[in-house]
Amino acid sequence: MAKLVFNIPHLLLFSVESGQLEVIVELLEFAVVSFLLSFLFALGGLGSAVALIPVLVFLGVPFSVARSAGLFTNFVTTLSASIHNLKEGLIDFRLATPVLISAFVSAPAGAYASTVIPERVVGLAFTIFLFFAGFMVYTPKKELFRVRSSLYPFFVGLISGFLSGLLGVGGGGIISPLLIIAGYNPKRVVPVTAFVVVFSSLSAFLAYLKLGKVDWGLTLAVALPSAFSGYLGALVTHRYLSSSQVKKLLGLVFIILGVKFLTKFL
């Protein structure tokens, strides 16, 4: 029977008694799951990495390896969007720079903290984030107070970066609401968020790589299909669907995943 060996960097290894064909089939299964998840979430204008991580865990992937795969998937999927935003001049660098610098620095700290904090605690924290992501879908994002301190974007970056490394979520789900409730223009926030996630995901991923928590076979199997299907889902939504309708369904998916994930770590 094929057996994937996780927690070993650089290459996917096979157990001596395993056939490579069976391992390839298993990787193809992961790729199909990633493709479908990314397509579904792109229909609602959302990234799939937050949902991908618990699904991989349910399929038997170690939590730490699933988190690193989620980070790389975030990096790949937000990179193309950010390149487009750069070409169109949509990124406000005055806002993006302090968020990016602090997130880039704090993301590896979160990754290293995940090796010290008991996995059960990290799992429960991830569960809370799933519930948060689900409820945020139904909560209108609007200004609650106005902040113009230059330190606030640094604070947002520190928090989002640390959680990005700790949970493997990229940090976009933290950056966007924290900036919008503080009075920043949502049209400026969206491209800034995607741009920052590229770098926070990369720095956290490199920390996981150094820690030996990356399985390249699995990572590439889920990241590459996700990038393509995310683009395809966005195209379908633009032409045929209303993303707001799909988004309500995806909020429920986050909550269901949170309930199931909670039972695993209680």
Side-chain angles (χ1 to χ4, degrees), residues 96-181:
T97 300
V99 183
L100 189 155
I101 292 173
S102 54
F104 188 82
V105 171
S106 62
Y112 283 104
S114 71
T115 65
V116 178
I117 300 172
E119 186 173 274
R120 181 172 178 267
V121 176
V122 178
L124 291 174
F126 192 94
T127 301
I128 293 172
F129 187 83
L130 283 171
F131 287 132
F132 172 78
F135 287 120
M136 285 303 295
V137 169
Y138 302 103
T139 304
K141 299 179 183 68
K142 58 183 180 180
E143 180 181 336
L144 298 181
F145 52 89
R146 183 168 290 271
V147 176
R148 286 297 176 264
S149 169
S150 59
L151 294 178
Y152 186 77
F154 278 102
F155 169 77
V156 171
L158 286 174
I159 297 298
S160 63
F162 184 83
L163 290 177
S164 172
L166 181 69
L167 305 179
V169 295
I174 301 295
I175 296 171
S176 181
L178 284 182
L179 289 178
I180 291 175
I181 65 172

Side-chain angles (χ1 to χ4, degrees), residues 53 62-71 114 119 122 165-168 208:
I53 293 171
F63 188 25
S64 59
V65 177
R67 295 198 303 273
S68 66
L71 285 166
S114 71
E119 186 173 274
V122 178
L166 181 69
L167 305 179
Y208 275 92

Side-chain angles (χ1 to χ4, degrees), residues 231-262:
Y231 170 80
L232 184 63
L235 186 65
V236 170
T237 301
H238 178 71
R239 293 187 177 181
Y240 305 109
L241 296 174
S242 168
S243 63
S244 60
Q245 295 175 343
V246 181
K247 194 176 290 185
K248 293 178 181 178
L249 173 63
L250 298 180
L252 183 61
V253 171
F254 279 132
I255 294 171
I256 292 173
L257 286 173
V259 171
K260 187 170 177 59
F261 211 61
L262 180 63

Side-chain angles (χ1 to χ4, degrees), residues 66-88:
R67 295 198 303 273
S68 66
L71 285 166
F72 193 78
T73 300
N74 267 324
F75 167 71
V76 170
T77 54
T78 55
L79 179 61
S80 59
S82 293
I83 291 174
H84 169 76
N85 291 335
L86 279 170
K87 290 180 178 179
E88 296 296 323

Side-chain angles (χ1 to χ4, degrees), residues 16-98:
V16 176
E17 72 277 6
S18 298
Q20 293 189 9
L21 180 60
E22 292 184 46
V23 175
I24 292 173
V25 169
E26 190 169 12
L27 287 177
L28 286 174
E29 292 174 352
F30 288 132
V32 170
V33 168
S34 177
F35 181 93
L36 294 176
L37 273 177
S38 182
F39 180 78
L40 175 63
F41 277 78
L43 293 178
L46 300 174
S48 65
V50 177
L52 177 64
I53 293 171
V55 170
L56 289 177
V57 172
F58 298 149
L59 292 175
V61 177
F63 188 25
S64 59
V65 177
R67 295 198 303 273
S68 66
L71 285 166
F72 193 78
T73 300
N74 267 324
F75 167 71
V76 170
T77 54
T78 55
L79 179 61
S80 59
S82 293
I83 291 174
H84 169 76
N85 291 335
L86 279 170
K87 290 180 178 179
E88 296 296 323
L90 299 176
I91 298 175
D92 181 349
F93 285 99
R94 185 176 179 181
L95 174 60
T97 300

Side-chain angles (χ1 to χ4, degrees), residues 5-14 209 214-218:
V5 181
F6 296 98
N7 295 321
I8 299 178
H10 308 307
L11 296 173
L12 179 69
L13 301 182
F14 306 101
L209 181 62
V214 174
D215 184 308
W216 276 113
L218 171 71

